[in-house]
Structures are given as structure tokens and as C-alpha cells.
């Protein structure tokens, strides 16, 4: 919403920064999520 | 056959430092199962089979234990091990 307001008031650097920040967060979250779900099975030789 | 419907109590003795099976678990899913039983190895001779579900280790119920805990219990067991297992089809009943 902060980003949206700034978009409406004119395309400021701040608004672009805010948008870039949001997207960066989304990407990092996706990566974390993905790596947590990799190799869900474990095997140990006994 | 009747005996297929019962859990199996298996006694294993380590041979050249190994019981001859893998313990598998799936992250976030309860229960551990047997995999890669080495033919002719201790696990094989004791009657363990692939996909058997581990119910008890040395008389301790492990159905709700974490994977790491169960691996640890087996490792700490020394050179012999007693496991109660059930075939998946039996366990699910």
C-alpha cells in the first residue's frame, strides 16, 4: 500500500525502491521455501 | 499366510560393522522404514524386508520418535539389535 500511494503520486525513486524491495523479499522467501522442501527423505546405512 | 500378518521380532548381530540395511524416513512424516536390505546380511537373515515399518527398537516404541532419534538409538545399541517391525500392509491395518 505504501508503494501503491507513491505510484499514484508519481513514479518516485522511493516507490521504485519499495517495489524492488518487495520483489526481492518474494524471491528470497521462495528460495527458502524451495530448499526446505528439497530432499525430504533421509536414508542412513546401519 | 498367517505369519505375513504379524509383526516380526528380529534379532540382529552386526557383521563387519554393519547390520546390512538402511533406515529411511521422510521429513515431516512420522515413522521409519527399512530399505536396501543386503542379501545374506544380518538384517536379511533376521527376516527384515524392504519397506518394513519400524515399531520398536530394543523394546522401545519408536513410532512417534524423530528420524534422528531412531538412528541414534540403533547406533547406540552396540553390536546387537532387536527390532519389532511390520510389513507396511500389516502396519496400516
Amino acid at each position: 500500500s505504501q508503494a501503491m500511494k507513491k505510484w499514484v503520486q508519481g513514479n518516485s525513486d522511493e516507490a521504485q525502491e519499495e517495489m524492488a524491495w518487495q520483489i526481492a523479499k518474494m524471491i528470497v522467501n521462495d528460495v527458502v521455501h524451495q530448499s526446505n522442501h528439497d530432499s525430504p527423505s533421509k536414508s542412513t546405512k546401519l | 499366510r498367517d505369519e505375513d500378518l504379524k509383526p516380526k521380532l528380529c534379532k540382529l548381530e552386526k557383521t563387519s560393522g554393519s547390520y546390512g540395511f538402511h533406515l529411511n524416513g521422510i521429513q515431516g512424516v512420522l515413522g521409519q522404514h527399512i530399505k536396501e536390505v543386503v542379501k545374506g546380511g544380518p538384517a536379511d537373515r533376521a527376516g527384515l524386508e524392504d519397506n518394513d515399518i519400524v515399531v520398536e527398537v530394543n523394546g522401545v516404541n519408536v513410532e512417534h520418535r524423530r528420524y534422528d532419534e531412531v538412528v541414534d538409538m540403533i547406533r547406540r545399541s552396540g553390536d546387537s539389535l532387536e527390532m519389532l517391525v511390520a510389513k507396511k500392509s500389516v502396519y496400516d491395518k
Side-chain angles (χ1 to χ4, degrees):
Chain A
S1 60
Q2 189 74 357
M4 206 58 190
K5 250 179 244 166
K6 283 171 183 162
W7 271 105
V8 173
Q9 284 167 2
N11 200 348
S12 69
D13 284 352
E14 254 178 275
Q16 289 205 22
E17 213 176 283
E18 171 80 12
M19 195 61 90
W21 177 240
Q22 294 297 339
I23 291 167
K25 271 206 282 193
M26 278 167 54
I27 292 168
V28 171
N29 277 341
D30 274 0
V31 169
V32 168
H33 196 79
Q34 196 71 44
S35 48
N36 277 343
H37 282 78
D38 271 351
S39 64
S41 64
K42 303 169 177 185
S43 183
T44 307
K45 185 174 184 290
L46 289 165
Chain B
R1 287 186 305 152
D2 247 16
E3 61 179 84
D4 280 347
L5 297 174
K6 286 176 189 154
K8 296 175 277 188
L9 185 63
C10 304
K11 289 182 171 122
L12 293 81
E13 297 281 341
K14 256 187 200 172
T15 305
S16 46
S18 168
Y19 292 117
F21 72 93
H22 281 226
L23 187 74
N24 277 33
I26 301 167
Q27 210 166 52
V29 178
L30 277 179
Q32 274 67 235
H33 55 279
I34 305 293
K35 279 282 181 193
E36 293 176 58
V37 174
V38 177
K39 218 170 163 57
D44 185 30
R45 279 181 277 125
L48 290 180
E49 290 170 280
D50 278 20
N51 300 320
D52 281 350
I53 310 283
V54 183
V55 181
E56 285 182 5
V57 173
N58 295 326
V60 179
N61 188 288
V62 296
E63 287 171 279
H64 298 281
R65 299 293 185 107
R66 281 185 301 112
Y67 175 79
D68 307 357
E69 278 184 273
V70 181
V71 170
D72 212 46
M73 286 168 77
I74 294 170
R75 285 201 171 131
R76 273 188 287 114
S77 181
D79 286 335
S80 64
L81 174 69
E82 199 176 88
M83 284 208 298
L84 186 69
V85 303
K87 273 191 182 177
K88 183 141 202 330
S89 53
V90 177
Y91 185 80
D92 286 340
K93 275 180 192 165

